[in-house]
Amino acid sequence: MSQNRNSKRSRGSRRSSGGSNMLSAIALMIIAILLLVFVFAYISNNSFLSFFKRFKSDGSETETTSDETKTQDAADEPGLVWLDKDELVYVLSEDELSDREDSDIIEEDGKKLLASEWLEDGSDLYYFDDKGRAVSDLNEGAFNYRFDREYRLYSISYNNAYISESENDQKDYPGVVQTKTLWAFLDTEKQVDDLYAIKYKKTTESFSHLLGGDSNLQYTSNFAMNVADGYIYYVAFVDASDKMLEPIANKLFRMKPGAEKREICAEDIKGYKLIDAGNGDIHVYVDEGTKVKRVTSFKEDESMKTFPEDGDYYVDTSSGKAMLMLEGGYPVTLASDSFKAGNFVYAVNANGEITSVASKSQVNYGGYTYTVENGDSFGKKKARVIRSANGKKEVISAEFDGSVSNMHFDFDSSKIVAEYTDANGSAGLVTISLDGDVDIVYDASDLGSKCILYAIKDGYATVRTSNTFKQAKLVSSYPLAVGVDPVEISEAPESELNESAGSSDPSNAATGNTAETHAQPAAPDSNADTEIGAAAEPGAAANGQSGSALGTVEKKGPGEA
């Protein structure tokens, strides 16, 4: 009996041990399954925590991640909002709506989004397309803009190959940029390399003007100019190693129309962007090559020299070239084809070198206009000095051999200095007094076949013969012609001129000869053009009419006007 009990007890113990082993096996299987699930979740979501957050506390699964939930919650507030990891929008507040044009706003899911517009957020810049999404790149005119992964602007570059599709509509005002009160555009006739001079026109005026004036032109690259708050902003994007253009290379300037000085905003830039912050406040962003930053201060550009028309200029030929200099040793570094300096008009390139000198056929002084008539008499060149006023012309010198051209007044000596070619074709200089005396200048009496007058200063004349520059002292050597009492000129009848012309050709009458390299000679006084008459000895004019190599003169009797 006791043996049976022991046997039953033993069987019960074996049953208990078997059940325990089964529970352990089941537990291990569950743990293994959970481990597999957790490993899969970790691989798929990169963290167990992210997977766990997929489930709500009540055990039901949500359709969005925690980041998406956060974004949707943020969309209820104005400002920058991430719709997902790739889309950034800007939700406008009620206050901002009143400051925006309708074209800058689109509606989506009941929200007002900024569209087709720039946004300034602190020191960061964004651009939102017409769908209200922030962009990663943008081409706006000649400038290319690039944005980082957070859609913040990080690069601005200038495209010098850009061609405007609307350029055909800007024939009168090429490259124009404008506001309601000011237009700025390019003067395509004034060009240095790929740069153009800037012109402007106020909408209240009919005429256009050169920025900086005729003697201080401002240059810009095409489509690199903007107008904002009364200023013209501009950059010359060029190779900074070019010594001629180094003073302006890759520098952002701004200048008000009519101002004598410009301001420098930034140097060595790749591009720039202006943002209208409202209330006339313009924010300037520049790309320095390593980052985009906002410029907060501007300073007057001390390197810019103002070249006024009445400035004290001189011509420096020490380098073998004629350089136009402002007193103090400053070269005229901005190109111009009509730079006025004293009594001269020069064409100057961007480094100050004079490329040509405009010839002058007359001098106006003391109420009179002085000219020299040149002509031929039986194959011999003759000339005489004429002065005119109030429609009356008078001969004030005896006739002399040779011809005279390019006349300039020397204020120090109160005499006219002019180029002279003698009867044998040799070149030189003469001085002409206001009374009609004509004298050869000793230092320039034998300069060869060509003499070009470049400047007059401190008793010396700068002249060029071939490719050599010389300084000629303005000291008289010997008289060429003496002054005479003024003899009024009267026009001879056409029949008389034809009969007295003899073998001379009227077409040979010159009206102020000019050297070959003179630029665009000024038109002579029409009153100085007379037909060539019969030959006569110098100073042979008497009462009534008398013949002259250069026309007919008439002396008035006592009391006659």
Side-chain angles (χ1 to χ4, degrees), residues 47 126 170 307 362 406 415 423 461 521:
S47 74
Y126 303 84
Q170 301 175 356
F307 303 112
Q362 63 184 40
N406 197 21
K415 291 183 178 181

Side-chain angles (χ1 to χ4, degrees), residues 73-303:
D73 292 341
D76 294 332
E77 298 295 330
L80 291 168
V81 175
W82 287 92
L83 297 183
D84 57 38
K85 62 181 180 181
D86 293 326
E87 289 192 337
L88 179 66
V89 299
Y90 186 81
V91 180
L92 294 162
S93 66
E94 291 297 326
D95 292 339
E96 291 174 308
L97 289 175
S98 60
D99 297 331
R100 295 285 180 177
E101 300 288 338
D102 291 340
S103 58
D104 299 340
I105 304 170
I106 64 170
E107 187 170 350
E108 184 176 304
D109 296 331
K111 304 298 181 185
K112 305 289 186 180
L113 304 183
L114 182 64
S116 302
E117 187 58 273
W118 286 87
L119 172 72
E120 186 178 27
D121 184 56
S123 60
D124 296 327
L125 276 182
Y126 303 84
Y127 186 83
F128 296 89
D129 62 19
D130 56 359
K131 296 180 181 179
R133 268 52 177 179
V135 302
S136 56
D137 61 82
L138 173 69
N139 296 330
E140 194 175 64
F143 288 99
N144 301 325
Y145 303 91
R146 299 294 178 264
F147 302 80
D148 62 18
R149 292 182 178 180
E150 301 295 323
Y151 298 106
R152 296 171 298 199
L153 180 66
Y154 78 90
S155 170
I156 311 173
S157 59
Y158 171 74
N159 176 16
N160 59 7
Y162 172 76
I163 299 176
S164 172
E165 295 180 356
S166 61
E167 186 67 8
N168 291 334
D169 299 330
Q170 301 175 356
K171 292 180 179 179
D172 295 331
Y173 303 101
V176 65
V177 288
Q178 61 193 81
T179 63
K180 293 181 179 179
T181 58
L182 178 65
W183 290 20
F185 52 98
L186 306 178
D187 186 342
T188 54
E189 295 182 356
K190 294 179 172 60
Q191 182 175 1
V192 177
D193 291 343
D194 293 331
L195 308 177
Y196 298 94
I198 301 172
K199 297 189 80 171
Y200 68 89
K201 186 177 81 69
K202 295 181 179 180
T203 54
T204 55
E205 299 177 352
S206 301
F207 299 101
S208 301
H209 310 274
L210 284 163
L211 188 65
D214 291 336
S215 61
N216 202 8
L217 306 181
Q218 301 298 300
Y219 288 90
T220 183
S221 295
N222 199 7
F223 304 109
M225 182 170 53
N226 274 289
V227 175
D229 193 30
Y231 284 93
I232 299 173
Y233 291 78
Y234 53 100
V235 186
F237 289 108
V238 293
D239 185 355
S241 64
D242 188 334
K243 294 299 182 183
M244 291 172 55
L245 300 175
E246 184 180 7
I248 61 173
N250 307 316
K251 297 178 181 179
L252 176 60
F253 297 107
R254 72 176 189 178
M255 191 172 185
K256 281 194 172 182
E260 294 185 354
K261 290 290 185 178
R262 66 190 175 203
E263 292 180 327
I264 185 167
C265 306
E267 300 185 44
D268 193 24
I269 69 169
K270 307 298 181 184
Y272 75 101
K273 177 64 185 176
L274 303 183
I275 297 295
D276 186 354
N279 299 321
D281 191 10
I282 303 299
H283 293 176
V284 182
Y285 289 81
V286 298
D287 185 338
E288 296 181 320
T290 57
K291 63 178 179 179
V292 173
K293 76 169 189 178
R294 178 180 158 191
V295 179
T296 57
S297 62
F298 312 98
K299 60 182 179 180
E300 190 174 278
D301 181 22
E302 297 296 338
S303 68

Side-chain angles (χ1 to χ4, degrees), residues 281-350:
D281 191 10
I282 303 299
H283 293 176
V284 182
Y285 289 81
V286 298
D287 185 338
E288 296 181 320
T290 57
K291 63 178 179 179
V292 173
K293 76 169 189 178
R294 178 180 158 191
V295 179
T296 57
S297 62
F298 312 98
K299 60 182 179 180
E300 190 174 278
D301 181 22
E302 297 296 338
S303 68
M304 174 184 169
K305 299 299 177 184
T306 300
F307 303 112
E309 187 174 330
D310 58 352
D312 191 2
Y313 296 92
Y314 64 96
V315 176
D316 181 8
T317 60
S318 59
S319 64
K321 300 178 180 179
M323 306 295 294
L324 185 60
M325 310 290 289
L326 178 63
E327 185 178 32
Y330 301 106
V332 178
T333 54
L334 296 177
S336 172
D337 58 3
S338 58
F339 191 103
K340 297 178 182 178
N343 205 20
F344 288 79
V345 178
Y346 300 101
V348 186
N349 65 20

